[in-house]
Amino acid sequence: MIGKNEIRLCIMTSSNEQRPALVVLDMIAIAQFLGKHVFRTIDSATFDQAISRNNALISAFSAKGLPVFIMNLELTGLLKSFNGRLFRPLLSNEALAAGTVLAKHGPSGFAQSELYERLTAQNINALYVTGFSTDNAVKKTVADAEQLGFEAVVVKDASLARNSELQAQMIRDFDEVISAERLLRELE
């Protein structure tokens, strides 16, 4: 049963065709470090589950010929030297190869990145958004996407907030959400 703010993937074939893309945010080493050691609320197993779900979603989108954008925070200037080990992607090599990896320079996937240009060049009008953290990068990317005219749907169990209570609150606050399992079924 679909919840009050859950939606179904709908790829229409008429002139009003919906062209979705997957946007994965900050599934990088520093996010896992922050969750486990700074916020002390996200254990390794929980983070690993989110990574696994993102890998599966990337594979499914790619198999359907749908675009995938993997957005990773990248530091500039004097902090650029930290980009290596701390900001390395945690997604599988297969997932990274199947998606387009883009740098972003703020919480939103649209922050000083090529995301908007890439989406409009491919006539994308709907985004499925995942990643870390639901209460920052996901929230800001969804808000920017909606302001730019995209439909934005959060994949609730392929995203992580700083703690489980905040995750539940954020998921309730989003207009449209879907589970990874349901989205994967819709992509079959």
Side-chain angles (χ1 to χ4, degrees), residues 133-153:
S133 75
T134 309
D135 52 308
N136 193 17
V138 172
K139 175 183 168 182
K140 290 176 181 174
T141 300
V142 167
D144 287 349
E146 290 172 343
Q147 185 174 14
L148 292 166
F150 297 97
E151 178 183 357
V153 181

mmCIF file of all heavy atoms in Angstrom, residues 133-153:
data_model
loop_
_atom_site.group_PDB
_atom_site.id
_atom_site.type_symbol
_atom_site.label_atom_id
_atom_site.label_comp_id
_atom_site.label_asym_id
_atom_site.label_seq_id
_atom_site.Cartn_x
_atom_site.Cartn_y
_atom_site.Cartn_z
ATOM 1 N N SER A 133 23.242 13.900 3.739
ATOM 2 C CA SER A 133 22.299 13.535 4.769
ATOM 3 C C SER A 133 20.916 14.046 4.379
ATOM 4 O O SER A 133 20.788 15.094 3.753
ATOM 5 C CB SER A 133 22.734 14.100 6.124
ATOM 6 O OG SER A 133 22.510 15.475 6.227
ATOM 7 N N THR A 134 19.910 13.310 4.798
ATOM 8 C CA THR A 134 18.531 13.647 4.470
ATOM 9 C C THR A 134 18.193 15.050 4.964
ATOM 10 O O THR A 134 17.471 15.790 4.296
ATOM 11 C CB THR A 134 17.570 12.620 5.111
ATOM 12 O OG1 THR A 134 18.014 11.309 4.779
ATOM 13 C CG2 THR A 134 16.153 12.817 4.613
ATOM 14 N N ASP A 135 18.722 15.422 6.104
ATOM 15 C CA ASP A 135 18.405 16.721 6.708
ATOM 16 C C ASP A 135 19.266 17.873 6.191
ATOM 17 O O ASP A 135 19.098 19.000 6.617
ATOM 18 C CB ASP A 135 18.501 16.631 8.232
ATOM 19 C CG ASP A 135 19.816 16.044 8.706
ATOM 20 O OD1 ASP A 135 20.194 14.957 8.220
ATOM 21 O OD2 ASP A 135 20.474 16.653 9.558
ATOM 22 N N ASN A 136 20.144 17.610 5.256
ATOM 23 C CA ASN A 136 20.970 18.677 4.700
ATOM 24 C C ASN A 136 21.030 18.552 3.178
ATOM 25 O O ASN A 136 20.269 19.209 2.476
ATOM 26 C CB ASN A 136 22.368 18.660 5.323
ATOM 27 C CG ASN A 136 23.167 19.917 5.021
ATOM 28 O OD1 ASN A 136 22.628 20.939 4.616
ATOM 29 N ND2 ASN A 136 24.459 19.851 5.212
ATOM 30 N N ALA A 137 21.904 17.708 2.646
ATOM 31 C CA ALA A 137 22.092 17.623 1.193
ATOM 32 C C ALA A 137 20.818 17.209 0.461
ATOM 33 O O ALA A 137 20.450 17.810 -0.551
ATOM 34 C CB ALA A 137 23.223 16.655 0.870
ATOM 35 N N VAL A 138 20.133 16.188 0.965
ATOM 36 C CA VAL A 138 18.905 15.726 0.298
ATOM 37 C C VAL A 138 17.843 16.813 0.368
ATOM 38 O O VAL A 138 17.226 17.160 -0.649
ATOM 39 C CB VAL A 138 18.408 14.398 0.918
ATOM 40 C CG1 VAL A 138 17.045 14.008 0.368
ATOM 41 C CG2 VAL A 138 19.434 13.283 0.669
ATOM 42 N N LYS A 139 17.634 17.360 1.544
ATOM 43 C CA LYS A 139 16.627 18.418 1.739
ATOM 44 C C LYS A 139 16.887 19.612 0.825
ATOM 45 O O LYS A 139 15.968 20.124 0.163
ATOM 46 C CB LYS A 139 16.640 18.853 3.204
ATOM 47 C CG LYS A 139 15.745 20.017 3.536
ATOM 48 C CD LYS A 139 15.914 20.396 4.998
ATOM 49 C CE LYS A 139 15.280 21.717 5.325
ATOM 50 N NZ LYS A 139 15.506 22.076 6.729
ATOM 51 N N LYS A 140 18.113 20.074 0.766
ATOM 52 C CA LYS A 140 18.451 21.246 -0.038
ATOM 53 C C LYS A 140 18.401 20.951 -1.531
ATOM 54 O O LYS A 140 17.985 21.796 -2.327
ATOM 55 C CB LYS A 140 19.804 21.800 0.391
ATOM 56 C CG LYS A 140 19.710 22.426 1.780
ATOM 57 C CD LYS A 140 21.023 22.915 2.304
ATOM 58 C CE LYS A 140 20.797 23.498 3.707
ATOM 59 N NZ LYS A 140 22.026 23.871 4.353
ATOM 60 N N THR A 141 18.783 19.746 -1.927
ATOM 61 C CA THR A 141 18.699 19.364 -3.344
ATOM 62 C C THR A 141 17.247 19.285 -3.786
ATOM 63 O O THR A 141 16.892 19.764 -4.868
ATOM 64 C CB THR A 141 19.420 18.026 -3.588
ATOM 65 O OG1 THR A 141 20.808 18.177 -3.224
ATOM 66 C CG2 THR A 141 19.308 17.585 -5.040
ATOM 67 N N VAL A 142 16.391 18.686 -2.960
ATOM 68 C CA VAL A 142 14.962 18.595 -3.279
ATOM 69 C C VAL A 142 14.356 19.995 -3.387
ATOM 70 O O VAL A 142 13.616 20.290 -4.333
ATOM 71 C CB VAL A 142 14.222 17.725 -2.239
ATOM 72 C CG1 VAL A 142 12.712 17.876 -2.352
ATOM 73 C CG2 VAL A 142 14.627 16.263 -2.402
ATOM 74 N N ALA A 143 14.671 20.872 -2.435
ATOM 75 C CA ALA A 143 14.130 22.241 -2.472
ATOM 76 C C ALA A 143 14.582 22.975 -3.732
ATOM 77 O O ALA A 143 13.768 23.618 -4.419
ATOM 78 C CB ALA A 143 14.550 23.010 -1.225
ATOM 79 N N ASP A 144 15.860 22.847 -4.079
ATOM 80 C CA ASP A 144 16.367 23.502 -5.290
ATOM 81 C C ASP A 144 15.730 22.899 -6.537
ATOM 82 O O ASP A 144 15.362 23.618 -7.466
ATOM 83 C CB ASP A 144 17.892 23.390 -5.370
ATOM 84 C CG ASP A 144 18.610 24.296 -4.375
ATOM 85 O OD1 ASP A 144 17.951 25.173 -3.761
ATOM 86 O OD2 ASP A 144 19.829 24.115 -4.218
ATOM 87 N N ALA A 145 15.599 21.577 -6.573
ATOM 88 C CA ALA A 145 14.994 20.903 -7.726
ATOM 89 C C ALA A 145 13.567 21.401 -7.951
ATOM 90 O O ALA A 145 13.175 21.724 -9.079
ATOM 91 C CB ALA A 145 15.012 19.397 -7.528
ATOM 92 N N GLU A 146 12.797 21.453 -6.876
ATOM 93 C CA GLU A 146 11.404 21.907 -6.996
ATOM 94 C C GLU A 146 11.343 23.371 -7.431
ATOM 95 O O GLU A 146 10.513 23.732 -8.269
ATOM 96 C CB GLU A 146 10.660 21.672 -5.683
ATOM 97 C CG GLU A 146 10.430 20.198 -5.422
ATOM 98 C CD GLU A 146 9.879 19.871 -4.048
ATOM 99 O OE1 GLU A 146 9.948 20.736 -3.129
ATOM 100 O OE2 GLU A 146 9.390 18.735 -3.883
ATOM 101 N N GLN A 147 12.233 24.189 -6.923
ATOM 102 C CA GLN A 147 12.273 25.599 -7.320
ATOM 103 C C GLN A 147 12.629 25.736 -8.798
ATOM 104 O O GLN A 147 12.151 26.650 -9.475
ATOM 105 C CB GLN A 147 13.270 26.363 -6.455
ATOM 106 C CG GLN A 147 13.286 27.849 -6.716
ATOM 107 C CD GLN A 147 14.189 28.595 -5.748
ATOM 108 O OE1 GLN A 147 15.002 28.013 -5.043
ATOM 109 N NE2 GLN A 147 14.042 29.897 -5.717
ATOM 110 N N LEU A 148 13.436 24.814 -9.310
ATOM 111 C CA LEU A 148 13.839 24.840 -10.715
ATOM 112 C C LEU A 148 12.829 24.149 -11.636
ATOM 113 O O LEU A 148 13.041 24.075 -12.841
ATOM 114 C CB LEU A 148 15.221 24.182 -10.870
ATOM 115 C CG LEU A 148 16.375 24.963 -10.246
ATOM 116 C CD1 LEU A 148 17.619 24.097 -10.139
ATOM 117 C CD2 LEU A 148 16.651 26.240 -11.051
ATOM 118 N N GLY A 149 11.742 23.613 -11.059
ATOM 119 C CA GLY A 149 10.680 23.030 -11.868
ATOM 120 C C GLY A 149 10.720 21.528 -12.036
ATOM 121 O O GLY A 149 9.949 20.969 -12.816
ATOM 122 N N PHE A 150 11.588 20.841 -11.314
ATOM 123 C CA PHE A 150 11.655 19.383 -11.373
ATOM 124 C C PHE A 150 10.708 18.779 -10.343
ATOM 125 O O PHE A 150 10.518 19.345 -9.266
ATOM 126 C CB PHE A 150 13.074 18.876 -11.057
ATOM 127 C CG PHE A 150 14.113 19.313 -12.035
ATOM 128 C CD1 PHE A 150 14.914 20.410 -11.770
ATOM 129 C CD2 PHE A 150 14.297 18.628 -13.222
ATOM 130 C CE1 PHE A 150 15.881 20.822 -12.661
ATOM 131 C CE2 PHE A 150 15.275 19.023 -14.122
ATOM 132 C CZ PHE A 150 16.068 20.127 -13.843
ATOM 133 N N GLU A 151 10.142 17.626 -10.655
ATOM 134 C CA GLU A 151 9.465 16.826 -9.629
ATOM 135 C C GLU A 151 10.576 16.131 -8.859
ATOM 136 O O GLU A 151 11.505 15.594 -9.461
ATOM 137 C CB GLU A 151 8.543 15.790 -10.280
ATOM 138 C CG GLU A 151 7.862 14.905 -9.281
ATOM 139 C CD GLU A 151 7.012 13.821 -9.925
ATOM 140 O OE1 GLU A 151 6.897 13.792 -11.156
ATOM 141 O OE2 GLU A 151 6.484 13.000 -9.161
ATOM 142 N N ALA A 152 10.506 16.146 -7.547
ATOM 143 C CA ALA A 152 11.566 15.541 -6.738
ATOM 144 C C ALA A 152 10.961 14.550 -5.749
ATOM 145 O O ALA A 152 10.041 14.895 -5.012
ATOM 146 C CB ALA A 152 12.350 16.613 -5.993
ATOM 147 N N VAL A 153 11.496 13.341 -5.750
ATOM 148 C CA VAL A 153 11.016 12.262 -4.897
ATOM 149 C C VAL A 153 12.207 11.742 -4.087
ATOM 150 O O VAL A 153 13.258 11.434 -4.651
ATOM 151 C CB VAL A 153 10.428 11.109 -5.737
ATOM 152 C CG1 VAL A 153 9.916 9.991 -4.843
ATOM 153 C CG2 VAL A 153 9.349 11.622 -6.679
#
